[in-house]
Amino acid sequence: MITSTWNTFFYEPLYNALIFLVGVVPGGDVGIAVIVLTVLVKFALYPLSQKSIVTQLKMRALEGEISAIKERHKDKKEEQARQTMALYKKHKVNPFSGCVTVLIQLPIILALYFVFLKGLAPDGGVLYSFVHFPENLNPYLLGLFDLGKKSVILALVAGVFQYFQMDITLPKSKPRVGAGASFAEEFSRSMTTQMRYVLPVMIVFIAYTTSGAVALYWSASSLFAIGQELLVRRGIQKPVSTNN
């Protein structure tokens, strides 16, 4: 049942969309089709991603007040939590919206991943009746990279873009001066460091061990995310307002 639902609502639509795009892009260039599909999906998810980015920026703007709450109630964890949630409510910030956004996007991202992982072999059981498998299918990106094979160059490019995405989106953590940092603060700092440095290495490994198409997808996705982050920040004419 789960597999059938997954295929019907996620895998099959994305597979057919990619096949359709390969049939309409110049020369049947799979690389261009992968980029176009990635951009279309990212645009469809743009409102959710934008909301998540704005929420993150608002939460960063409240870090000073949250630190003050922790300092005032350093021995009262329940009071810390209560006042922190009250602060979020006052400024209409939902700290869990980012998690919701990730959960909504995850099935689509996984489906895209498996579309690229399985490749573009004809599959009559998946192909819609109104979508025809292209006669001219060029597996190369601009004639340079065979996307059906491993590519160390595309994998490294994916890792570099992922690093810059993490570097832009993640807050810059600073060592705490004076009293020792709490376990939660140290854990948060450790996770941020791992996301910034370890995740790009993992992306390089995954992209290289699968195919050039997966590496290209990650590169296009990260590049779009970087542009979206910068665009949202630029759209905020002054420091993030926490009053709306």
Side-chain angles (χ1 to χ4, degrees):
M1 178 64 180
I2 296 178
T3 302
S4 177
T5 301
W6 167 270
N7 288 336
T8 301
F9 291 102
F10 295 103
Y11 177 77
E12 291 179 12
L14 290 171
Y15 172 84
N16 280 271
L18 185 57
I19 293 297
F20 172 79
L21 289 171
V22 171
V24 298
V25 298
D29 192 310
V30 173
I32 296 177
V34 167
I35 294 173
V36 172
L37 179 59
T38 304
V39 171
L40 289 176
V41 171
K42 297 294 284 186
F43 266 120
L45 297 173
Y46 192 96
L48 290 173
S49 302
Q50 182 183 33
K51 184 176 181 181
S52 177
I53 292 171
V54 171
T55 297
Q56 290 174 8
L57 293 175
K58 286 185 175 183
M59 290 178 66
R60 290 183 200 175
L62 293 172
E63 285 179 353
E65 295 182 60
I66 293 174
S67 296
I69 291 174
K70 291 180 178 179
E71 187 64 28
R72 286 198 305 268
H73 305 284
K74 60 179 66 177
D75 299 322
K76 300 178 181 178
K77 300 299 182 183
E78 291 184 3
E79 185 64 16
Q80 281 186 26
R82 188 187 70 78
Q83 292 202 18
T84 299
M85 293 309 297
L87 181 66
Y88 286 147
K89 184 177 181 180
K90 175 184 176 182
H91 295 291
K92 299 179 181 179
V93 175
N94 180 3
F96 305 108
S97 64
C99 297
V100 174
T101 302
V102 171
L103 290 176
I104 293 175
Q105 295 185 66
L106 191 58
I108 298 174
I109 294 172
L110 289 176
L112 273 173
Y113 174 80
F114 281 109
V115 166
F116 300 144
L117 182 62
K118 293 182 179 180
L120 297 181
D123 189 342
V126 174
L127 205 62
Y128 296 154
S129 60
F130 55 86
V131 177
H132 303 287
F133 198 85
E135 296 181 1
N136 181 23
L137 190 151
N138 178 11
Y140 286 82
L141 169 64
L142 301 176
L144 300 174
F145 302 101
D146 187 346
L147 299 182
K149 298 180 180 179
K150 300 176 182 179
S151 172
V152 65
I153 295 177
L154 289 178
L156 289 173
V157 169
V160 169
F161 283 156
Q162 184 66 50
Y163 169 78
F164 282 114
Q165 180 189 349
M166 292 295 97
D167 190 56
I168 290 174
T169 58
L170 293 176
K172 302 296 187 294
S173 58
K174 297 180 181 179
R176 184 173 176 178
V177 180
S182 67
F183 172 78
E185 290 172 327
E186 289 293 348
F187 180 77
S188 176
R189 187 177 297 113
S190 175
M191 289 299 296
T192 299
T193 301
Q194 290 186 45
M195 288 289 288
R196 180 175 283 113
Y197 299 107
V198 177
L199 183 59
V201 175
M202 292 177 59
I203 294 303
V204 171
F205 176 77
I206 294 172
Y208 178 70
T209 55
T210 50
S211 69
V214 173
L216 181 61
Y217 158 69
W218 276 111
S219 299
S221 180
S222 296
L223 191 58
F224 187 99
I226 291 171
Q228 182 180 7
E229 179 85 19
L230 296 176
L231 185 63
V232 171
R233 292 186 184 186
R234 185 177 180 181
I236 301 174
Q237 300 299 325
K238 55 184 178 180
V240 179
S241 172
T242 55
N243 295 319
N244 49 31

